[in-house]
Each structure stands twice: as C-alpha cells, then as structure tokens.
DNA sequence: AATGAATGAGACTTCATTCAT
DNA sequence: GATGAATGAAGTCTCATTCAT
C-alpha cells in the first residue's frame, strides 16, 4: 500500500539491497500497524507480510520500537515535505494553492491510510519520548517554514497564531474524515477556502 | 485525575457502594490508560491503583474491553453534554459563546475532549468496532444538535458543512494543544473568534 | 433432573430443612457436573442452580471435593441398591429377571444421566483416592452379593468370573449407549438375554 | 510411558526433528493427563515433562485442546488398527483369535483401550464435540469392519447386534480391569471365550 | 441461616527477542 | 545474509474459598 521511499544514497549493490529490505519491513509494518495497531501487530505478522523471517528483521532493526521510530520518521518526513513545497509558491497564488490543498485532503482517500497511522503515532507519542521527540522535531520544521511564509512572503502579523490554527484545522479535518467516511466531502470545500482566505489575508480584527 | 461521576440513581446502600466501586475502577483505568495506553496498562496495574484485587474487577466488568468501552462511554457522554448546552443559548449570544468555548478549550488543560485519553480512544476506535460504534453514536448526537442550531436557530444554509468544519477545528485544536503544550494559547483566541464568527454568520461566498 | 433422595432420618424441622438444602446442592451439582464436568462446573453455577448463595454452600460442604464425594456416595448407593434387589428374587426367575434388567438398561434413557455422571466419576477416581475408595467399597458390596447369589442360590462354580463378566458387560453397555444414542437398542435384547442365560447357567465348558 | 509413533514420512532432518518434538509433547501430555486429568494437568507441567518451554509448545499446537485432540486421535487410531487386523484372519480361526484377543486385553495392562487415558477421553467427549467427533468417526470405522466380518465372512444374521454387544463387552472389561487391578484375570478367560463363541456362531435363539 | 464482595493463586496464551545452524 | 526453533515474562481471565454483614 505504501512503498515509495528509497532514501538510500547507497551506491553499492549490497547497500541497495539492504535499503530495499528495510523498506520491505517498513511497508509491511505500516500495513500491520494500521490494521492491528502498534501493539496488536506481532513481529510474526510483520515478518510474514515482509516476506522475511522474524529473526532476520533484527538484522535491520534493533527492536520493534526501532521499527516504529523509523516509520514515524518516514511518515512525518513525508508530511513535512508536503508543506515544504509551499515555499516555492509565489505570493499571489498562495491562498489559492492552500485552498486547493484543503480540497485535496478532503477529497483524497489516499490519506486515510496515512491518517490512520497518524492516530496510532499520536497516541504512541504520548508515552514514548523517542516518538514524541521525532514528531516534535518535524513539527518544528513545518511550523518554522509556515511562519516564514506567512510573515515574510505574505507580510502578515501574528504569524504564529495563523500557523497554529491552520495546522490544527488540517489535522482535525484529516482525523475527522477518517472517522466519518460518510461525510459528503465536496460540500466542505467552499467553506474551507473561505476560511483559508481569511487566515491568510489581513482581515484580522477582533 | 478523574472521579466526578455519580450517575447512580441507587438508593440501597449496597447499590451505592457498587457504583462507587465501579467508578474506582473506571478512574484507575483512565489514569493507567493515559499513562501507559490501553494495551500497556495491565489489569494488575489497574487493580492496584483501584485498590482492589484483579479478580474482583471482573465482578463489575466482563472484560478489559468492557472497561475501555465504559470509559469511552463516560468520556464521550461528557463531551456530548458540553456541546448540548449550546442549545439553550439565545441566538444573539451564540457566536459569542462559541468563541468563548474555543477560548476555554484552548486555555484549559483539563478538558476531556482534548485529553490524552481521547487520542487513545480515537486510535483504538480504528480497529475496535464496539468503540467505533459508541463514538459514532455520540458524534451523531452532537452533529444533529449542532446542525439544528445552525439551521433553525441561526437560519443559515449549508448547516452540514459548517458543522463538520467546526467539529474538525475543535478536534484538531484539542489534539494539537495536547501535543504542543508550549504553544502560547492566548494568541490564538482572536483568530479563532474571527473564524467562528465567519462560520456562524452568513458571509458565505465562494 | 434428579432429586429423589431424602435419606435424612431427621426429626427436627430444622434438620429436615438442612437435609433438603443439602439435596438441593447435590442435585444442582449433579446437573452441572454432567453438563460441564467436575472441573468445568464452577461453584457459582452450582449455587445459582441450587437457588442458594455461593457462600452458603460452604455451610453444608467443606469444599467442592466434598460435594463430589457426596454425589459419588449417593450415586453409587443407588447403583448398589439396584443390584441388591436381586437377592430377594427366587432362583427360577433370576435368569429372567437379569435379562429384563439388561432390557431396562438398554431401553431406558434415564440412565443416560447416570451414566454420564459415572464416566465423570470413573475418570475422577483415577486420581482422587477418596473417590476411588468410595467406589471400591460399593463395588465390593455389589460383587459380594452377586457372588453369593451365583454361588449359593444358583449353585454355580466360578462365581467370581461370572460376576466380573456380568458387571463388565453391564458397565460396557451403559457407557456405549450413552456414547451412541443412535444404536437401535431393541435389537440387542435377544442376544443379551442369551448371554445372560449362558453366564447364569452351568453350560460352562471350555 | 507412551512413545512409539513415528508416523512422519519426513525426509528432511528438520521435519524429522519437528515430528520428534511433537511426539515429545504428546508423550508428556499423555503422562500428565493420566496422572492429573485433562484439566488438572497444566501447560507448565506438560512443558517441563516434555523438556520444552511452555511457549514453544504453541509452535506445534494451537491450544491445549489441540493437544488433547491429537492424543485422542493417536490413541483411537491405535485402537482401531488393532481391530482392523481381524479382517485378514481366515474364517475358521476367527472365533479363536477373538477369544485370544479377549485374553490379551485381560492380561496386558498396556492396552491403550483399557488405559486410564481412555476414561479421561470418554469423560471429555461428553462435552467436547471435537473429541466426540473423533471418537465417533473411529468407532464408525471399527463398527463397519466388524459388521462386515460377521455378516460377510461368518455369514451370520444380526451383525449389528453382535457387533454392539462385543464392543460393549470389550469396553466394559477394559474399564473394569483398570479400576480393579486386583481381579484375578486368568479366571475370566474361559468364560469370555465361551461368550465370544456364542456371539460369533449361529446358536442364536430367543 | 444467608449473602455476595473480596481475594489471590494459577490457568492458558502471546510475543519480543535470541541463537544455533 | 537468512532461518525459525526456542525462551520466559507478562497478559487476561477464572475460580475455590473466606468473611463481614
């Protein structure tokens, strides 16, 4: 369901193979985690879906925790990148692009997988400091870029608040849509666009 | 951390005691679930914190699952009630009250809906149909009341969309605030109020 | 299903009540043991079926073991008595009566309950010396009476062997019929009568 | 006590080892079941006697139930085979061989069908449908072969009845002998032979 | 006499992890 | 690199028994 990455800068054939194997594990684990949760997915199930023996997984990962951490890393990298693309968008188009972004999120079911995993990750991050740290670091990155777009490119005040509210809204939307697939998504878009416009333009008055 | 309830309509002393004991278990379990997660919290830990033997918990609950379900029930009941209060608010004050509600959510850490337990519950609901069902039922209730307020009391069109967006925003905010306690909450309020106003008034144009 | 006994020689009303209560427990326990086995029948189930609280059963029986022992006693008493009746049968009718006894056993489903309990008891007796002892004592009694009938009343040699074979046959029949209720019982009777005759008359040659 | 089998058609060393391990478990479990009963024998005891960790047993058997089922299978297979041998016996010798069979049963304590395990199995079969089914299937096989021997080879009428009575007698004898090891077995043989002859020859008159 | 709340040991089972091959 | 046999701790749940009321 999810097997794009090949972050390896490897050149050796053996290292390439290694990276492939690691991705096999990560993909299998992601699937299992979505289906059964972090705790409900046993190493045996992951190994079977990865087409690999249980023992061999431990050649690539020190522990199950390490697999979780790697997935969180990979997943939050992907999320961060998506926001990063916004940096290169010219000022005039930004509001429009962000609004389209909202449409994508609302329309695409592709994020259902992602979002389900996200909930698992968020829950885990509450007691696993390592996960919490990874998440925090990534969030910092996203937040930073966003703020600079709002403050520098759009020249708006209160960049912090605008950033937090946008991120909250996107996060909440994603979660809500996974939980309620029956929602008619189309109808949300006009209202969302409107709100995006309001947040990203200087109408702000109290 | 959490020990308010006394829903018992009991009159007998023994029934009262029973209700007390049940609440002891529920409170202890809530604590443990927040601290260790649904699956990290063993019955032993819960029993110890409830001041009760493991075996005795099973006089009150058929299984650990049943405890989880009871907690979700209790928790989502509380959340639903909070939204239900809005029904009695007169039209003119509604936007204002909702905005204040956003402030409360942002300011108070105690809010159940923003609680850590909530994330655990959401994650669990993805694979536990019973939990999913409870959540869904409650959400239906909230959604219904909200829509009727927007459509009937405020006389606005697109009540569905407005409802979904508000609920998404509140949900996302709660989650984001638990994860980032360092956010300066105060600064969010003006922007949130503005958005609430926009959603609850008929400026809607695309 | 089984509640005849009232062995109490009691005169006091309170003792009568006591005996009644004890029989309630024994009857309930018999039922449960047949349905779930000795180990599968919890005290809770027995108590409920006896219309009595769990704790109160311990006023009458020291332990679950004691209940089992009491049942075995009662059950094997009943079985022994059935054989004892043979003593008063006149010589000429004995073969006929025994043959009829075989018919009864084969025809009556009433023994199914008994026989199911018997299997449970036999299995238990293999590791519970107390049960083994009770059973042994009763068997001794039955065997003794039988032998004396065969040797003294019928004047046959090898009374021991004849006794053992008859008891084996009856035991085996009972067990087989519980296990295979589909067997057409009627057809067995002529052959059984024939065998009874052979065992109880002096055709014995090798 | 019991470790004959090597049904494995395995050629690989690993498969051979696997079969060995499985037999270790089955042997250990048989021992424990005889000593403590199906429900008195904990997995811990079985594991210790099998020289294996508790957890590892679950690589070979899905559950304790599955172990019981496997033992019943093995045990009743052995019993069925013993009866199956009769098919190849020529007509004239049959009565004689059957009579000898009775002698063997009476004399040998090793006979599986008379083993203590058997009682345990019978008792269990009363509430465990899976066990009941295995037993029934085997019994069907034995009964079928027996009937065809009696009807076709010996040309006797009422093959059903004769079969049932013989099986009852053998079953009863086995049980009785386990319970009363003090019985002088030798003395039973002449009478048993006589009865076998009567059942397997056409003296039948009512 | 009677209740049922309460206990705690022990039952079966799962699972992350290790290690010989 | 690759396997899967093996471990043992820990998990959920049951149950005979006791005791305050």
């Amino acid at each position: 369901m999810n097997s794009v990455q090949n972050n390896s800068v490897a050149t050796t054939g053996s290292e390439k193979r290694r990276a492939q194997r690691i991705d096999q594990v990560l993909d299998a684990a992601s699937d299992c985690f979505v289906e059964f949760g972090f705790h409900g997915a046993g190493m045996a199930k992951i190994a079977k879906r990865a087409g690999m023996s249980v023992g061999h997984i431990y050649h690539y990962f020190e522990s199950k925790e390490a697999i979780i951490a790697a997935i969180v890393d990979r997943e939050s990298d992907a999320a961060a990148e998506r926001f990063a693309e916004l940096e290169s968008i010219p000022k005039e188009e930004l509001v429009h692009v962000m609004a389209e972004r909202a449409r994508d999120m609302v329309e695409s079911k592709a994020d259902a997988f992602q979002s389900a995993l996200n909930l698992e990750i968020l829950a885990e991050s509450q007691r696993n400091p390592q996960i919490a740290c990874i998440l925090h670091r990534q969030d910092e990155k996203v937040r930073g870029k966003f703020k600079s777009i709002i403050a520098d490119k759009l020249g708006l005040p209160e960049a912090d608040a605008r950033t937090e509210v946008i991120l909250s809204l996107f996060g909440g939307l994603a979660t809500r849509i996974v939980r309620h697939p029956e929602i008619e998504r189309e109808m949300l878009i006009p209202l969302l666009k409107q709100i995006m416009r309001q947040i990203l333009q200087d109408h702000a008055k109290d």
Side-chain angles (χ1 to χ4, degrees), chain A:
Chain A
M1 201 184 223
N2 211 332
S3 61
V4 230
Q5 272 77 8
N6 193 354
N7 328 326
S8 58
V9 202
T11 41
T12 328
S14 91
E15 286 215 356
K16 205 153 148 190
R17 172 133 184 87
R18 180 181 170 82
Q20 255 177 29
R21 293 298 246 168
I22 287 183
D23 273 348
Q24 273 175 48
V25 176
L26 255 29
D27 293 340
S30 288
D31 278 8
C32 290
F33 289 158
V34 168
E35 199 169 343
F36 309 106
F38 281 147
H39 90 285
M43 290 298 284
K45 244 176 274 189
I46 295 174
K48 179 175 283 183
R49 202 169 301 196
M52 200 180 303
S53 77
V54 180
H56 199 46
I57 290 184
Y58 284 83
H59 278 252
Y60 301 115
F61 295 94
E62 241 192 352
S63 66
K64 195 181 176 185
E65 286 267 293
I67 297 179
I68 296 178
I71 285 179
V72 174
D73 233 352
R74 184 169 99 158
E75 226 54 46
S76 70
D77 259 356
E81 263 168 46
R82 218 156 327 131
F83 276 102
E85 295 164 10
L86 296 175
E87 282 190 308
S88 56
I89 309 279
K91 180 180 169 178
E92 307 75 39
E93 298 180 29
L94 236 179
V95 175
H96 177 66
V97 169
M98 281 297 293
E100 285 308 310
R101 201 53 79 83
R103 148 171 277 139
D104 287 355
M105 155 161 305
V106 159
E107 281 179 343
S108 88
K109 241 189 166 163
D111 275 320
F113 174 86
Q114 236 267 354
S115 215
L117 197 48
N118 265 353
L119 274 181
E120 202 67 36
I121 291 174
L122 287 181
E124 181 70 11
S125 77
Q126 292 186 293
R127 10 187 167 79
N128 188 326
Q130 196 194 351
I131 305 299
C133 179
I134 297 175
L135 243 46
H136 214 271
R137 211 180 323 124
Q138 294 286 10
D139 194 85
E140 212 65 40
K141 232 188 286 178
V142 169
R143 201 194 319 218
K145 287 186 180 155
F146 227 93
K147 265 177 59 181
S148 94
I149 290 177
I150 291 176
D152 304 342
K153 195 180 279 188
L154 298 180
L156 295 174
E158 286 106 25
D160 268 319
R162 295 178 206 255
T163 299
E164 294 303 335
V165 171
I166 282 189
L167 293 180
S168 294
L169 181 56
F170 271 51
L173 263 177
T175 302
R176 187 154 183 85
I177 287 173
V178 208
R179 283 181 51 210
H180 301 281
E182 79 276 11
I183 292 175
E184 273 192 60
R185 298 181 182 93
E186 270 302 323
M187 72 183 184
L188 301 179
I189 295 170
L191 184 52
L192 285 175
K193 282 193 175 173
Q194 214 184 125
I195 294 176
M196 290 309 298
R197 244 181 270 125
Q198 187 179 30
I199 300 178
L200 295 177
Q201 289 167 7
D202 197 9
H203 296 171
K205 304 167 202 172
D206 193 12

